[in-house]
Each structure stands twice: as structure tokens, then as C-alpha cells.
Amino acid sequence: MADISAPFKMPMLEELDFSKSPVIFHYCSLETFLSIVQYKSLRLSDINTMNDYSEMHWAYDRFIEAVNQLIDEYDVEYFEYLDKLVSEAQLHTLPLLSCFSTDGDVLSQWRAYADDGMGVAVGFDSAIMASLAIRCAPVTYDPELQVGFFRDLIAATFPMWKIGDVKDNSHLAKFLTRAVFDMCLMKNPAFAEEKEVRIARAVVVRHDGDGWHLEDAGGKGSDKSSGKKHPIKYRAKKGGLVAHIDLPFSGAGPKFIKEVVLGPRSANKGTEISMALNANGLKGSKIRLSTATYR
């Protein structure tokens, strides 16, 4: 049986190291690039519409794996309570994401995300990005680290459950909801080549007599424009509807975009990209061409 007097250990995934990854890259079409610089906003979309169809399900399977490893160490009622809260947290909170990479010149990403190599990889200052009202962190691909996160979560919350009111433990529920949100930072190691960094924001899922609703509650960050509540919008994609918010970064300053990499099939020579950036108040960006020999 686990010791409820054990010291509290906050479960943690890897955090973004700004010194090792001062720039994070968003692969996109030229149309998306122009939208970003003209409207000074980043689009965060429903996690369930990402290219990995196992999003969140993969992380939940690692949670179950951690439970199975520890099944003899804790009360059965505790695991039942924990599973119920984790499941409810996923039902009532939806992560909206935008995806980046620490590598701005990967052929598979040019082909998949940047208009088959005709687009660009927009390099943002990672420290400034983290100041927005979002969660900014690298994706964890290692299943052992993922399971370890849930083992730590189970160990940390057990004493809280043991001494608390199981029927109304709102403090524990809030703690778990915050921790469960980081499940959006876990992916199948088959995607590790992407070296992905995600910016994520939680929106509330609500159901009432009028049907289903999504609501952005705002967030905390040094950039006030991104911290405000923003309307949930929808767009059509491959026969479905995708929920998203357009998160402004107007307070991020003129140096937010540090670099733009031209795709290997780009028709631009860099001058036009530089002009577009300067015309929209974004200064001093380095422009370079992909080294991929792809046509």
C-alpha cells in the first residue's frame, strides 16, 4: 500500500529550453503566412482534427498502462475515482492547438504542411511565444516518460484523495484537470521526426438545453491581447467542421518573427517575403532557402 505521507511530487513533462531552441518554426502555405503577418494572429484548432488520429487516445492508453503497473499499490476506489475524473476532464475541456517544430528544414514537413514545398517555415522567437496566454511546450514522444508522468500523477494525488472528501473534492478535481490538459503534449513516437512544439489553449465544452457549446475563458500571459476571451470560429475541412480561435499577438513586438525559411519549391527569392514582413511592422527577420533538393 502506498504511503500517504510521501512528499508531494508535481508531475512534469519536458519544458521548452529557450537556449537550445530560440526559434520554433510553423510550416504553412504562403496564404497562411500572409494571414499571420497581416492579422498578427495564430490559429489554434481542435486537437481532434490533427493529422494523428490517436490524439489524446494515445495519452489515455499510457494512463491505463501506469494504472496497471500500480494496481496493487493503491485502493481500487481511488483508481475508479481517478479514471472518472480524467474522463470527465477530457469531456469538458478541449485543447486548441497550433503546431511548430524546432527544425525549420525537414522535407517530410515541407511536403505535409507547407503546400508541398511551395510554402514557408515561419520562425518565431520561442521565449516571446511562451509569454502569450497559452501553454507552450515540446511534445513528449517517449512512452516511458509518458507513463512516468502518470505514475507521478497517481502518486501525487493519492494523499489528496485519501484525506479529502471523495464526494466533493473540488481542489483535487481542479488539479487533475490542469494535469490532464498536458495529455495534448504526448504523441506516438512514430511522429518524433517532426520535433514538435505545441502552443495550446483550453476551451470549455458545455452542454445545455440549446445543445453543445465551446467557450474560450481567456488565459494568463504577459501579452494582454492574447489573454482576452476570443470567439470560437469554425471552418470547413475535408467535409467536416473545425473549431478554432485566432489568437492575436499584437503585443509581441516587431521582432517576434526571427526567421523565414523558403520551401524547396518556392517561387520567391526572399525579397517579397521581407517586403511583406516590413509592410506589416515585423522587422529584421532572416530569410533563407531550404537546403532540400525537392521539386
Side-chain angles (χ1 to χ4, degrees):
M1 183 62 67
D3 179 10
I4 66 170
S5 65
F8 179 83
K9 183 181 180 181
M10 180 69 179
M12 293 288 290
L13 291 174
E14 181 185 359
E15 294 296 324
L16 186 61
D17 187 333
F18 304 134
S19 62
K20 292 182 179 179
S21 302
V23 181
I24 54 176
F25 297 88
H26 182 64
Y27 289 79
C28 62
S29 66
L30 284 174
E31 289 80 7
T32 297
F33 164 74
L34 287 174
S35 179
I36 289 171
V37 301
Q38 289 174 353
Y39 295 103
K40 293 185 176 59
S41 69
L42 294 166
R43 179 160 290 180
L44 280 62
S45 300
D46 182 349
I47 189 173
N48 296 305
T49 63
M50 300 291 146
N51 64 334
D52 178 4
Y53 63 79
S54 73
E55 294 279 7
M56 299 300 278
H57 301 290
W58 174 271
Y60 183 75
D61 288 344
R62 304 292 77 73
F63 165 68
I64 295 301
E65 189 174 339
V67 168
N68 289 334
Q69 290 179 7
L70 300 172
I71 196 70
D72 295 327
E73 297 185 31
Y74 299 92
D75 300 349
V76 172
E77 294 83 5
Y78 168 60
F79 285 122
E80 291 173 348
Y81 174 79
L82 199 59
D83 185 52
K84 182 174 181 290
L85 267 182
V86 169
S87 298
E88 288 181 348
Q90 292 185 82
L91 285 174
H92 300 305
T93 304
L94 176 67
L96 302 185
L97 310 175
S98 188
C99 304
F100 300 77
S101 175
T102 57
D103 192 334
D105 195 5
V106 179
L107 180 56
S108 61
Q109 300 214 63
W110 287 122
R111 297 176 67 181
Y113 307 120
D115 196 15
D116 197 24
M118 293 186 286
V120 295
V122 188
F124 294 87
D125 186 303
S126 60
I128 295 176
M129 182 70 77
S131 73
L132 303 181
I134 41 85
R135 175 83 164 98
C136 178
V139 167
T140 296
Y141 297 102
D142 187 338
E144 290 188 12
L145 294 178
Q146 296 164 356
V147 173
F149 171 87
F150 290 115
R151 287 176 61 96
D152 289 344
L153 180 64
I154 290 167
T157 55
F158 179 68
M160 300 165 67
W161 174 84
K162 194 70 173 177
I163 64 176
D165 182 346
V166 178
K167 294 181 180 179
D168 184 24
N169 199 329
S170 58
H171 177 70
L172 177 54
K174 289 179 181 178
F175 173 80
L176 281 170
T177 298
R178 289 194 296 270
V180 168
F181 182 70
D182 272 3
M183 290 170 71
C184 73
L185 299 173
M186 301 179 191
K187 288 188 70 173
N188 186 323
F191 290 89
E193 179 193 53
E194 295 184 347
K195 301 176 183 177
E196 187 176 350
V197 174
R198 288 182 159 180
I199 66 170
R201 178 131 152 179
V203 295
V204 177
V205 182
R206 184 170 55 83
H207 185 260
D208 58 23
D210 294 325
W212 291 93
H213 308 263
L214 287 181
E215 297 175 354
D216 177 37
K220 295 181 180 179
S222 58
D223 178 74
K224 293 182 179 179
S225 64
S226 66
K228 296 177 181 178
K229 296 180 181 180
H230 297 288
I232 306 293
K233 301 176 183 178
Y234 295 85
R235 69 183 186 278
K237 179 182 178 182
K238 296 181 180 179
L241 294 178
V242 180
H244 67 270
I245 61 172
D246 290 323
L247 190 75
F249 59 80
S250 54
K255 302 291 186 179
F256 188 28
I257 295 178
K258 298 184 71 171
E259 186 174 355
V260 177
V261 186
L262 304 179
R265 300 178 65 215
S266 175
N268 293 286
K269 299 187 183 302
T271 305
E272 305 92 336
I273 298 294
S274 181
M275 288 176 175
L277 290 165
N278 282 301
N280 288 279
L282 295 161
K283 310 291 185 181
S285 301
K286 176 184 175 182
I287 314 294
R288 62 183 171 96
L289 178 64
S290 166
T291 60
T293 52
Y294 172 61
R295 64 182 181 187

